[in-house]
Amino acid sequence: MKILIIGAGIGGASAGIALRRLGHEVEIYEQVTENRPVGAAISVWPNGVKVLNWLGLGAQTAALGGRVEFMSYREAATGETMCRFSLAPVTEQMGQRPYPIARAELQAMLMEAFGVQDIRFGKRMSAIEQDEHSVTVTFADGTTATGDALIAADGAKSLARAYVVGEELERRYAGYVNVNGLVRADPEVAPTDQWTLWVGAGKRVSVMPVGGDRFYFFFDVVEPAGLRPERGAVRESLAAHFAGWAPEVHRLISLMDPETTNRVEIFDLDPFHTWVKGRVALLGDAAHNTTPDIGQGGCSALEDTVVLERAFATTTISVPDTLARYAAARSRRAGDLVLWARRRAALMHGEDPELTEAWYEELRGEDGTNVLRGIIGNMVDNPLG
Ligand SMILES: Cc1cc2nc3c(=O)[nH]c(=O)nc-3n(C[C@H](O)[C@H](O)[C@H](O)COP(=O)(O)OP(=O)(O)OC[C@H]3O[C@@H](n4cnc5c(N)ncnc54)[C@H](O)[C@@H]3O)c2cc1C
């Protein structure tokens, strides 16, 4: 069978590896001309790492991943510890440790595993057509590709989504901007084996270790969508937003490189369950666009890959039937994750300031039990168990 995939992100590249090893002829088309992912790093939780292991990438993933042994929340103003606990229960209960990984390195690993030379870069899908025998994609350069199935892993602003659903779905601004990047791991900012978060006034600052002795950092700033601050002025802007915060936070601001720091407005999309139209299926953010507040968007795209591969490996009636079974097995869990992340986003970013204050108070008495329950709870229904 010939399977076309649109998008070489986490979703498209992982699906490409999985479907090709079933013996299908797989073609990946990607609009950008080189691997330049938006965002510095992502935390791949055990449900996502298990998929990477299952794709044969366990050793490479472990080599790229940061070792995060502890988690700690700190007071915004003083930097005092609100709570600190081991993340070992996550590993023990899931059978796999989490790995924060630099995004470009994760992406490169997946692309190389598929075969970079086999990814057709600079190909922007502009239209989809299908009949009872095949599906054809047209690209912006006027060329076309035809296959038996089309997996649209074309991301949060998916063009294929409207084709599949039959209407344009509006994404919703989550009310905050995430400023992120990589810096060298600095013990004067935080312990280098710990995920450390400073919280206060509906804002968050986070550092976690990734491979290569670096911290992945992010700052969440509550502000309206559509602002366009100068790229080089990010330090000044963060220093103003976080005035009065702990010295470690300001040390982090002084270490960052404004030229490689990303600023991302955070959106999500109400869950929807029409993921398939005939021979075309959505996968990854195209199907379930979440805020990053539980760190599960990319992991969810990886979960899609497992279920898609299983559907292709185990069913034989027709392509539309296989794709429909994939969607039926995935859309509820993926939609639940979107809603859980949305609730966390509201709590963490002060949508109701009283609730956010109550959460800070809880953190001051936390021994890890509740936070770990939440993290593990996000993963218990994952397709690899
Ligand atoms: C700030 C932030 C932090 C995050 N942190 C985490 C985290 O810690 N853990 C986690 O699991 N997830 C996290 N996520 C979510 C994660 O990044 C996404 O869920 C994941 O990247 C989705 O992968 P994807 O392949 O579906 O989409 P993408 O990575 O967006 O890839 C889509 C690809 O399709 C291409 N494309 C788009 N349109 C076309 C077209 N018309 N023709 C051809 N190609 C096209 C794009 O160029 C792109 O390469 C975070 C997201 C953000 C914004």
Side-chain angles (χ1 to χ4, degrees):
M1 189 182 306
K2 182 168 167 187
I3 302 175
L4 312 177
I5 296 180
I6 303 298
I10 296 171
S14 62
I17 299 165
L19 295 176
R20 185 181 258 181
R21 72 181 181 179
L22 289 180
H24 299 298
E25 185 189 343
V26 180
E27 294 178 354
I28 299 185
Y29 294 89
E30 166 57 55
Q31 66 183 358
V32 302
T33 49
E34 58 183 312
N35 170 23
R36 222 177 18 200
V38 178
I42 90 173
S43 46
V44 188
W45 288 100
N47 56 327
V49 178
K50 284 184 184 179
V51 179
L52 296 170
N53 294 345
W54 176 82
L55 290 174
L57 298 170
Q60 292 174 60
T61 301
L64 296 175
R67 295 292 185 281
V68 50
E69 310 290 356
F70 297 94
M71 180 171 180
S72 178
Y73 278 96
R74 294 185 172 182
E75 303 280 358
T78 61
E80 275 171 32
T81 300
M82 301 163 101
C83 58
R84 179 175 188 271
F85 47 87
S86 167
L87 284 172
V90 172
T91 304
E92 285 156 15
Q93 289 195 39
M94 296 306 300
Q96 171 58 54
R97 65 158 57 236
Y99 284 123
I101 304 181
R103 210 176 257 269
E105 291 159 19
L106 173 62
Q107 196 61 51
M109 175 182 78
L110 289 168
M111 286 180 175
E112 276 159 26
F114 179 77
V116 182
Q117 68 289 349
D118 295 339
I119 299 174
R120 290 137 207 235
F121 288 98
K123 288 285 189 185
R124 185 160 65 81
M125 172 178 70
S126 56
I128 305 170
E129 280 177 296
Q130 63 179 310
D131 58 28
E132 57 185 297
H133 306 293
S134 65
V135 53
T136 297
V137 175
T138 303
F139 298 98
D141 61 8
T143 59
T144 60
T146 297
D148 300 293
L150 171 66
I151 308 303
D154 56 342
K157 296 179 188 163
S158 168
L159 181 91
R161 188 190 293 138
Y163 169 82
V164 167
V165 178
E167 61 175 322
E168 201 67 60
L169 301 180
E170 183 105 5
R171 297 198 306 146
R172 162 193 158 280
Y173 183 51
Y176 75 97
V177 171
N178 178 282
V179 177
N180 64 66
L182 296 170
V183 290
R184 69 180 161 76
D186 179 0
E188 289 184 37
V189 172
T192 56
D193 61 352
Q194 177 171 291
W195 180 15
T196 308
L197 296 115
W198 294 260
V199 290
K203 299 182 223 179
R204 275 199 309 171
V205 178
S206 159
V207 292
M208 63 172 76
V210 297
D213 212 16
R214 294 166 295 174
F215 276 149
Y216 161 46
F217 68 82
F218 67 78
F219 295 75
D220 284 351
V221 180
V222 175
E223 62 184 13
L227 303 179
R228 294 279 172 267
E230 274 175 52
R231 187 175 179 86
V234 66
R235 268 207 210 120
E236 293 70 17
S237 153
L238 288 176
H241 274 295
F242 292 89
W245 280 49
E248 293 81 4
V249 169
H250 287 277
R251 181 170 173 86
L252 175 62
I253 294 172
S254 74
L255 291 178
M256 69 172 53
D257 175 358
E259 293 309 315
T260 56
T261 299
N262 310 288
R263 181 182 180 281
V264 190
E265 293 182 341
I266 301 300
F267 285 80
D268 72 2
L269 183 62
D270 286 340
F272 61 98
H273 301 282
T274 307
W275 286 18
V276 172
K277 178 173 176 175
R279 297 174 173 274
V280 181
L282 304 176
L283 183 142
D285 278 10
H288 42 80
N289 182 194
T290 174
T291 68
D293 297 271
I294 57 172
Q296 280 290 343
C299 296
S300 203
L302 289 166
E303 288 189 11
D304 290 349
T305 282
V306 171
V307 175
L308 184 72
E309 185 185 4
R310 270 193 199 151
F312 271 103
T314 54
T315 64
T316 54
I317 296 175
S318 66
V319 168
D321 176 74
T322 297
L323 297 181
R325 286 173 195 280
Y326 146 74
R330 277 297 296 148
S331 80
R332 204 168 100 203
R333 168 163 164 76
D336 285 348
L337 287 173
V338 171
L339 296 178
W340 297 343
R342 184 180 287 183
R343 276 204 294 277
R344 294 299 292 171
L347 182 69
M348 293 194 277
H349 300 105
E351 196 172 285
D352 178 338
E354 270 183 33
L355 287 182
T356 302
E357 282 304 324
W359 176 54
Y360 297 154
E361 202 45 50
E362 261 174 45
L363 289 176
R364 290 179 189 115
E366 175 67 52
D367 64 1
T369 309
N370 290 316
V371 178
L372 291 168
R373 190 184 301 125
I375 292 174
I376 294 164
N378 295 333
M379 297 184 274
V380 285
D381 287 339
N382 85 83
L384 291 176

